[in-house]
Amino acid sequence: MDTARLLPLVVAVPLFGAAVLVACGRRLPRIASDVLGTAFAAATAALTLVLLAGTGGSAAGPGRRGPVEWVGGWRPVDGKGVGIVLVGDPLGVGLAALVSLLVVAVLVYSWRYFAEPPRRHAGSFPALILLFQAGMSGFALTGDLFDAFVFFELMGVVAYALTGFRVEEPKPLQGALAFGVVNSLGGYSTLLGITLLYARTGELGFAPIGRSLDTRAPDALVLAAFVLVTTGLLVKAAAVPFHFWLPDAHAVAPTPVCMLLSGVMVELGVYGVARVHRTVFSGPGGIAQPAFSHALLVIGTGTALLGAVMCWQQRHLKRLLAFSTVAHTGLFLVGVAVLSPEGVSGTALYVLGHAGVKAALFACTGILLDRYSSVDEYELFGRARELPLAGAVFAVGGLALCGLPPFGTGLGKAVAEEAAGHTAGWLPALFVLVSAVTGGAVLRAALRVFAGAGRRPRNGPQSGPETTGEEEPETRGRLGRVPVTMLGVSVALLAAALAVGLAPAVAAGAGRAGALFADGTGYRGAVLDGRAAAAPSFTAPHWSAAGVLLGLLSTALAVALAQVAVRRGPAAGGAAAVLAPLRRLQSGHIGDYVAWTVAGTALLAALALPGIR
Amino acid sequence: MTVLPYPVAGWIFLIGVYGLVTSRNLIHAVGCLAVTQSSTYVLLLAVGYRRHATAPVYADAPTGSRVVDPVVQALALTDIVVGATVTALLLALVVQLRKRHGTVDPDALSELKG
């Protein structure tokens, strides 16, 4: 069977499902539209898994590049083309599979989650989720820069709508608006960059643009195009200083939506940056490798540190998890910045594990929100003792977030860390520190909320702005007991994160995907000339003694941090006052966020400038 | 073809961003975002423009006639559709925000801090 023919279906099936749900949703009973939505999502997931198996080859053998499909048969002639291409590169297909599996989990989770949908709008939630799936899968699979922009905007628009899904409340509207304005601005900046590239090369595909750029030396136009395109993708990736929208959006979006936003959408921004660089700007006509690597390292390190510091400061559990996502995105950017196949494979594993763990943590937070109408760490102190299973998932999720072996996060962190260590000796310390602080914050919350450990925190004198977590419940009344679907999904997600670290096939797949991804020339050959380039050799990521030790070290650090925090009670005075200016930046004001975005673009330009000399 | 459209596109983008940063009204802010987007139309059309060329429709023109770049026109159309969607959705959010909060002043929205 020609698997290339399946590629467009990965985008088309969820789109069709969304259309069906919009057309018939209001006539169907709730359960039928939920089952229908889940069935379409599961069918897409099956398609991506078939594709993934097709790109496999034997576990240790040479990697095969995935299928390439020119939609409608518009193939390029002599390297020039007007057609639209979908590329089933292993990393892209893997991300599409991750998207689809997470969407299935989210749809099952939300079966019992929402109150009755508004009258005449039944089926709108699964329909929107399916559209979101189509946008994200399309973004992961496309081989065309303009299509990437369209899918970028599709997932953006659906995400704004989903963030503001509870339109009866004021806070989600604020979060969705900030999210929408900042991300759209990023999208338009990307489009300006794409237009500049089209003006120079007359092409829109990744591969043809890259080839065409390499025929002459880079100049200011290439730099401008790189900065503009990357700005939009970094906004999506929530890199500092483009990250301000993320905590606001995550804090207010319905919990199942948070699982998708944090689990995979933000990571797609990182993927976009890496993909565009490897296929378009990595040649002699693009941005020189050291400058790109340096720029991304600076931004990634800043993102990781700021995310970790802010994560530790939060008492609103969803905001805490949101800032932890910012911190981990920083680590992903660092993993990509080191420009080695190992960095990419490690980051891919890290993203897989992180998606499972973070989605499981959000799922537990959703259970808390349902039972107690609050996600405030102080208010919930000790109240969730009656939910031992949810507490266990939350605590184990916190440990997994620190990179505890043998979770997928631990393996990914170990591999990315080692790859980063070859670039700069201090980078492994960054990985350990950041994962210890973010994991420690989650463990602290778990100890307080589910075990009632330590001193009861009180609302002390505040030294900075604070978002507390009193929220409207998202479920219809208080559910009699925690639905088996909600707990089941969180346990399954955590188990999946564990499997990522344990299954050698996943690690081998990530190794192959990373090696193929890093080989930009091979990608161009496969897309434009239709020939499978000699597959690069690779070593499958595996546990190393140093990686295990560093994972254990960061876990121990996190446990110690959580213990100290719980004993001493909420930080008062000194430390909080020092960090208050940092928190004040997160002002909730759209104008401030836009100003920071522009400042970030300028920073990126300054960092990438040496790349065109 | 002059180079004038290129700085004009940059200027429109920056003026839109300036409006977004200083805006005191969310309706105005969404309008500024639309202004920002207009810069992409100007840039796209400038890139595809050819002197003395006609629209890329061969129905009533000889097939050898000079036309502007049809790819760019397709991109601009897609861009317009995307922009209309985003603007409509954001305006709907602002309308709903006015109903729930009673204000469209971004300075008055302060529930999400720190």
Side-chain angles (χ1 to χ4, degrees), chain B residues 2-76:
Chain B
T2 65
V3 292
L4 188 62
Y6 299 96
V8 166
W11 172 253
I12 295 176
F13 187 84
L14 290 176
I15 207 77
V17 167
Y18 174 79
L20 269 171
V21 171
T22 57
S23 177
R24 299 293 305 273
N25 181 318
L26 286 172
I27 302 269
H28 172 258
V30 175
C32 288
L33 190 65
V35 169
T36 310
Q37 197 198 7
S38 319
S39 70
T40 60
Y41 304 149
V42 174
L43 189 63
L44 274 170
L45 295 180
V47 164
Y49 179 81
R50 292 175 79 195
R51 194 177 283 278
H52 305 305
T54 171
V57 180
Y58 289 102
D60 50 0
T63 48
S65 55
R66 210 172 152 80
V67 296
V68 296
D69 190 342
V71 174
V72 160
Q73 306 226 323
L75 300 192

Side-chain angles (χ1 to χ4, degrees), chain A residues 64-128:
Chain A
R64 202 149 61 78
R65 203 171 276 283
V68 175
E69 169 75 355
W70 290 88
V71 179
W74 292 85
R75 302 189 150 273
V77 179
D78 300 332
K80 297 243 169 220
V82 293
I84 290 172
V85 64
L86 290 171
V87 184
D89 197 50
L91 199 74
V93 177
L95 274 170
L98 175 67
V99 167
S100 303
L101 292 172
L102 209 55
V103 162
V104 173
V106 162
L107 283 173
V108 172
Y109 179 83
S110 36
W111 270 13
R112 297 284 303 277
Y113 193 69
F114 280 105
E116 275 308 306
R119 215 157 53 83
R120 295 170 27 86
H121 292 282
S124 59
F125 182 75
L128 279 171

Side-chain angles (χ1 to χ4, degrees), chain A residues 7 39 46 77 99 101 117 139 180 207 229 274 303 365 372 390 398 401 423 555:
Chain A
L7 276 172
V77 179
V99 167
L101 292 172
F139 186 77
V229 170
T303 308
T365 312
Y372 311 108
L401 215 52
T423 299
T555 313

Side-chain angles (χ1 to χ4, degrees), chain A residues 352-389:
Chain A
L352 283 177
H354 176 265
V357 171
K358 192 54 67 65
L361 286 169
F362 269 117
C364 287
T365 312
I367 294 174
L368 287 176
L369 184 51
D370 153 54
R371 320 265 330 151
Y372 311 108
S373 302
S374 172
V375 288
D376 188 69
E377 190 183 320
Y378 295 179
E379 182 150 325
L380 285 174
F381 181 80
R383 280 171 73 188
R385 283 203 193 94
E386 62 196 35
L387 298 173
L389 191 54

